[in-house]
């Protein structure tokens, strides 16, 4: 029997990413787990207005999403503990740039996306930034043929429910396929 546990958002786990932006002329990176997909090539990141990174996204109208791997869990956590207001996070990683030129990306992350800011939804405490992915950069060792292989990538999953990091499990099956057996012929 189900128990009502209140009006809680329990939509976890979520992928943990490092959002990059230029702030006051330097790259800054913040750990963000409240990410989403708005459209095929448009993504969302929900960022508390107090964060240092937000001003850079608003000013430059772009940001990057960098996917760290399991072995980067400590440095990823660190970027979510300290603010660029208090500590310079620009030298924690090797930074590279893509076609936008001012969306700093992280060389150590095997998967990076540079995004053009296309909309901002102004919530009382959060900026919901909507970005269009304009360039995706992926290390060959996490690819199978021309696709990103998430089992090779080993992203970090985050749950607020029990404040823990998790890793990916096994593949369950093929979407738009394994359900077909319920079809009445
Ligand atoms: C695992 C993890 C996930 C986080 N997810 C979010 C998030 O989705 N949105 C948010 O506003 N802050 C999130 N944070 C907090 C920010 O990363 C943190 O406040 C950071 O210091 C902000 O950096 P900045 O001030 O340099 O921008 C998260 C922190 C951790 C450790």
């Amino acid at each position: 029997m189900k128990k009502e546990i209140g009006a809680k958002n329990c939509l976890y786990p979520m992928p943990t990413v490092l959002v990059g932006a230029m702030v006051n002329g330097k790259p800054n990176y913040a750990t963000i787990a409240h990410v989403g997909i708005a459209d095929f090539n448009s993504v969302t990141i929900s960022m508390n207005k107090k964060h240092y990174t937000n001003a850079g996204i608003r000013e430059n109208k772009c940001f990057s999403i960098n996917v760290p791997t399991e072995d980067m869990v400590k440095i990823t956590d660190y970027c979510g503990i300290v603010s660029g207001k208090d500590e310079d996070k620009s030298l924690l990683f090797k930074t590279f740039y893509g076609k936008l030129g001012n969306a700093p990306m992280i060389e150590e992350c095997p998967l990076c996306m540079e995004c053009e800011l296309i909309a901002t939804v102004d919530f009382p405490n959060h900026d919901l930034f909507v970005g269009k992915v304009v360039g995706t950069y992926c290390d060959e060792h996490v690819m199978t043929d021309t696709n990103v292989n998430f089992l090779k990538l080993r992203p970090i999953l985050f749950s607020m429910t029990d404040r823990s990091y998790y890793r990916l499990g096994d593949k369950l099956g093929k979407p738009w396929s394994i359900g077909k057996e319920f079809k009445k012929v």
Side-chain angles (χ1 to χ4, degrees), residues 28 31-34 46-48 51-53 80 82-84 89 165:
N28 191 69
T31 307
I32 299 296
H34 292 167
S46 173
M47 300 191 52
N48 194 295
H51 295 341
Y52 186 66
T53 314
V82 298
S83 173
K89 294 188 263 185
Y165 293 114

Side-chain angles (χ1 to χ4, degrees), residues 48-75:
N48 194 295
K49 286 178 192 287
K50 290 183 185 148
H51 295 341
Y52 186 66
T53 314
N54 296 36
I57 297 176
R58 284 180 175 272
E59 187 188 328
N60 299 304
K61 303 204 170 358
C62 64
F63 59 89
S64 70
I65 291 183
N66 306 273
V67 183
T69 53
E70 283 174 24
D71 49 312
M72 294 174 72
V73 68
K74 287 185 183 167
I75 198 154

Side-chain angles (χ1 to χ4, degrees), residues 9-179:
N9 164 30
C10 292
L11 196 60
Y12 297 99
M14 299 294 289
T16 314
V17 303
L18 288 161
V19 168
M22 288 302 281
V23 193
N24 295 324
K26 280 184 177 179
N28 191 69
Y29 299 104
T31 307
I32 299 296
H34 292 167
V35 296
I37 300 171
D39 198 348
F40 278 112
N41 244 13
S42 300
V43 292
T44 62
I45 49 173
S46 173
M47 300 191 52
N48 194 295
K49 286 178 192 287
K50 290 183 185 148
H51 295 341
Y52 186 66
T53 314
N54 296 36
I57 297 176
R58 284 180 175 272
E59 187 188 328
N60 299 304
K61 303 204 170 358
C62 64
F63 59 89
S64 70
I65 291 183
N66 306 273
V67 183
T69 53
E70 283 174 24
D71 49 312
M72 294 174 72
V73 68
K74 287 185 183 167
I75 198 154
T76 300
D77 193 56
Y78 180 72
C79 289
I81 295 171
V82 298
S83 173
K85 279 180 212 152
D86 308 311
E87 277 188 45
D88 181 358
K89 294 188 263 185
S90 68
L91 298 175
L92 288 176
F93 307 101
K94 196 170 165 217
T95 293
F96 74 98
Y97 297 89
K99 56 190 84 165
L100 292 174
N102 55 358
M105 288 177 277
I106 299 175
E107 190 64 54
E108 291 85 339
C109 290
L111 178 62
C112 309
M113 289 170 267
E114 54 175 339
C115 305
E116 208 177 82
L117 182 69
I118 55 169
T120 303
V121 185
D122 209 6
F123 283 97
N125 299 311
H126 284 76
D127 289 322
L128 181 80
F129 294 120
V130 185
K132 182 179 163 202
V133 179
V134 296
T136 303
Y137 306 86
C138 189
D139 285 351
E140 282 185 60
H141 73 269
V142 299
M143 291 174 74
T144 297
D145 303 324
T146 52
N147 294 320
V148 181
N149 180 324
F150 296 97
L151 293 177
K152 288 183 183 172
L153 179 65
R154 295 181 301 122
I156 303 162
L157 307 182
F158 165 80
S159 165
M160 186 69 108
T161 321
D162 61 349
R163 290 181 173 249
S164 299
Y165 293 114
Y166 289 88
R167 57 167 59 104
L168 262 186
D170 303 324
K171 203 189 264 192
L172 261 183
K174 282 269 172 216
W176 294 286
S177 173
I178 55 168

